[in-house]
Amino acid sequence: MCTTITYVTKDHYFGRNFDYEISYNEVVAITPRNYILDFRKIENLNTHYAMIGIAAGIADYPLYYDAMNEKGLCMAGLNFAGYAYYNEYEEGKENVSPFEFIPYILGQCTTVDEAKKLLNTINLVNINFSDDLPLSPLHWLLADKEKSIVIESMEDGLHIYDNPVGVLTNNPSFDYQLFNLNNYRALSNMTPKNNFSNQVDLEVYSRGMGGIGLPGDLSSTSRFVRAAFAKLNSVSGNSEDESISQFFHILGAVEQQRGLCDVGDEKYEYTVYSSCCNADKGIYYYRTYENSQITALDMFKEDLESNQIVKYPLVEKQQINYAN
Ligand SMILES: C[C@H](CCC(=O)NCCS(=O)(=O)O)[C@H]1CC[C@H]2[C@@H]3[C@H](O)C[C@@H]4C[C@H](O)CC[C@]4(C)[C@H]3C[C@H](O)[C@]12C
């Protein structure tokens, strides 16, 4: 399971919990403007916007899980197993494979509206990166500072949804997730009035009772509601420290502790990393399951005119500040 959110204070923030049970040797990868983006069925992009994000460190290609570009456009891929459907090659369309999709959009667009134009001609095509790697069944959240959309390629076609809450989790499709929020309209960050009955005197015995009924489990539908409730009621200062702290706390509301989700063969899905991009400043922050300290990489400190991808292995060892 995974959860991605957007958040705006003075700057625009975008990030995710990456929840899974296996690793593809994740790295922070900076793809500079002149790295040749090689596509299988369409023309290469020899020059494009630079981008930074977390990618699989198993190939020379930027196999991004989530990333932002130098113009502040952000995109993340999340599992959509059983729903995602990729098509056969179609003449006259932009045939892009799922593993190429993030670099394809972030390489060329500065806003969601620009990306929407490219999406008019796209055909998400069923081409694997290699025989060893499966075709990932994904859906994507794409966001700039003003808005976000969800992109889902399904058997009945390509769906593009405006996303008024700026949250994406996993199955089922986004229209269901959004509709399901209706069931929680009575939840509140305030102490609720007694609407139950005027014939019984019901006591306010605790703070936080406005949120009773907020689902606490790790299913995708429950995480969607919980992340939306946390994000939409969130209060934080505007400074960088306050914003990123708050962002990681919102993600904390939906993180997965190892052991709570058994996926068989003695494997457990857990929050491998949590990330937070400052999309206005080009800074990628992350922390990992074992390392609670936030690590940051500023894309503008790299040579963005280069033609070589720069990779930083994740700092995964716990860093404790012993105070005495
Ligand atoms: C599984 C990952 C999404 C995490 C997620 O949503 N977890 C929830 C799982 S579930 O709903 O609860 O089952 C996705 C996100 C990005 C994907 C990777 C990227 O697409 C890059 C390559 C693409 C290759 O085709 C396959 C390997 C791969 C390296 C992908 C492996 C896997 O599908 C990843 C890592």
Side-chain angles (χ1 to χ4, degrees), residues 194 196-204:
N194 176 11
F196 191 81
S197 167
N198 56 13
Q199 295 170 47
V200 276
D201 192 18
L202 297 176
E203 195 190 330
V204 177

mmCIF file of all heavy atoms in Angstrom, residues 194 196-204:
data_model
loop_
_atom_site.group_PDB
_atom_site.id
_atom_site.type_symbol
_atom_site.label_atom_id
_atom_site.label_comp_id
_atom_site.label_asym_id
_atom_site.label_seq_id
_atom_site.Cartn_x
_atom_site.Cartn_y
_atom_site.Cartn_z
ATOM 1 N N ASN A 194 -24.434 16.552 20.783
ATOM 2 C CA ASN A 194 -25.211 15.319 20.891
ATOM 3 C C ASN A 194 -26.332 15.340 19.850
ATOM 4 O O ASN A 194 -27.387 15.924 20.072
ATOM 5 C CB ASN A 194 -25.774 15.181 22.315
ATOM 6 C CG ASN A 194 -26.675 13.951 22.424
ATOM 7 O OD1 ASN A 194 -26.704 13.116 21.522
ATOM 8 N ND2 ASN A 194 -27.400 13.859 23.532
ATOM 9 N N PHE A 196 -27.350 12.425 18.723
ATOM 10 C CA PHE A 196 -27.849 11.049 18.846
ATOM 11 C C PHE A 196 -29.322 11.041 19.236
ATOM 12 O O PHE A 196 -30.153 10.441 18.576
ATOM 13 C CB PHE A 196 -26.991 10.339 19.899
ATOM 14 C CG PHE A 196 -27.179 8.866 19.984
ATOM 15 C CD1 PHE A 196 -26.536 8.021 19.094
ATOM 16 C CD2 PHE A 196 -27.992 8.309 20.970
ATOM 17 C CE1 PHE A 196 -26.692 6.651 19.180
ATOM 18 C CE2 PHE A 196 -28.164 6.941 21.053
ATOM 19 C CZ PHE A 196 -27.512 6.104 20.162
ATOM 20 N N SER A 197 -29.621 11.767 20.297
ATOM 21 C CA SER A 197 -31.012 11.850 20.763
ATOM 22 C C SER A 197 -31.085 12.905 21.860
ATOM 23 O O SER A 197 -30.169 13.030 22.660
ATOM 24 C CB SER A 197 -31.460 10.489 21.317
ATOM 25 O OG SER A 197 -32.666 10.664 22.028
ATOM 26 N N ASN A 198 -32.227 13.605 21.914
ATOM 27 C CA ASN A 198 -32.382 14.550 23.024
ATOM 28 C C ASN A 198 -32.981 13.867 24.254
ATOM 29 O O ASN A 198 -33.243 14.492 25.259
ATOM 30 C CB ASN A 198 -33.183 15.791 22.611
ATOM 31 C CG ASN A 198 -34.532 15.405 22.038
ATOM 32 O OD1 ASN A 198 -34.942 14.245 22.183
ATOM 33 N ND2 ASN A 198 -35.198 16.350 21.391
ATOM 34 N N GLN A 199 -33.159 12.540 24.117
ATOM 35 C CA GLN A 199 -33.733 11.816 25.269
ATOM 36 C C GLN A 199 -32.656 11.226 26.179
ATOM 37 O O GLN A 199 -32.958 10.680 27.235
ATOM 38 C CB GLN A 199 -34.632 10.693 24.758
ATOM 39 C CG GLN A 199 -35.842 11.211 24.002
ATOM 40 C CD GLN A 199 -36.580 10.083 23.298
ATOM 41 O OE1 GLN A 199 -36.840 9.047 23.902
ATOM 42 N NE2 GLN A 199 -36.885 10.285 22.041
ATOM 43 N N VAL A 200 -31.396 11.263 25.710
ATOM 44 C CA VAL A 200 -30.302 10.793 26.580
ATOM 45 C C VAL A 200 -29.255 11.887 26.695
ATOM 46 O O VAL A 200 -28.978 12.609 25.724
ATOM 47 C CB VAL A 200 -29.595 9.507 26.065
ATOM 48 C CG1 VAL A 200 -30.302 8.257 26.460
ATOM 49 C CG2 VAL A 200 -29.352 9.589 24.589
ATOM 50 N N ASP A 201 -28.667 11.956 27.846
ATOM 51 C CA ASP A 201 -27.633 12.943 28.086
ATOM 52 C C ASP A 201 -26.286 12.256 27.837
ATOM 53 O O ASP A 201 -25.854 11.419 28.626
ATOM 54 C CB ASP A 201 -27.760 13.418 29.543
ATOM 55 C CG ASP A 201 -26.917 14.642 29.766
ATOM 56 O OD1 ASP A 201 -26.547 15.275 28.761
ATOM 57 O OD2 ASP A 201 -26.629 14.942 30.939
ATOM 58 N N LEU A 202 -25.654 12.557 26.719
ATOM 59 C CA LEU A 202 -24.391 11.874 26.395
ATOM 60 C C LEU A 202 -23.223 12.799 26.736
ATOM 61 O O LEU A 202 -23.233 13.984 26.407
ATOM 62 C CB LEU A 202 -24.368 11.462 24.918
ATOM 63 C CG LEU A 202 -25.449 10.450 24.541
ATOM 64 C CD1 LEU A 202 -25.429 10.173 23.047
ATOM 65 C CD2 LEU A 202 -25.284 9.149 25.315
ATOM 66 N N GLU A 203 -22.227 12.195 27.336
ATOM 67 C CA GLU A 203 -21.134 12.949 27.948
ATOM 68 C C GLU A 203 -19.958 13.139 26.989
ATOM 69 O O GLU A 203 -19.643 12.234 26.211
ATOM 70 C CB GLU A 203 -20.678 12.127 29.153
ATOM 71 C CG GLU A 203 -19.816 12.838 30.145
ATOM 72 C CD GLU A 203 -19.242 11.843 31.158
ATOM 73 O OE1 GLU A 203 -19.922 10.830 31.429
ATOM 74 O OE2 GLU A 203 -18.136 12.071 31.639
ATOM 75 N N VAL A 204 -19.308 14.273 27.053
ATOM 76 C CA VAL A 204 -18.026 14.457 26.341
ATOM 77 C C VAL A 204 -16.932 14.021 27.315
ATOM 78 O O VAL A 204 -16.490 14.782 28.152
ATOM 79 C CB VAL A 204 -17.834 15.933 25.937
ATOM 80 C CG1 VAL A 204 -16.475 16.124 25.281
ATOM 81 C CG2 VAL A 204 -18.936 16.391 25.009
#
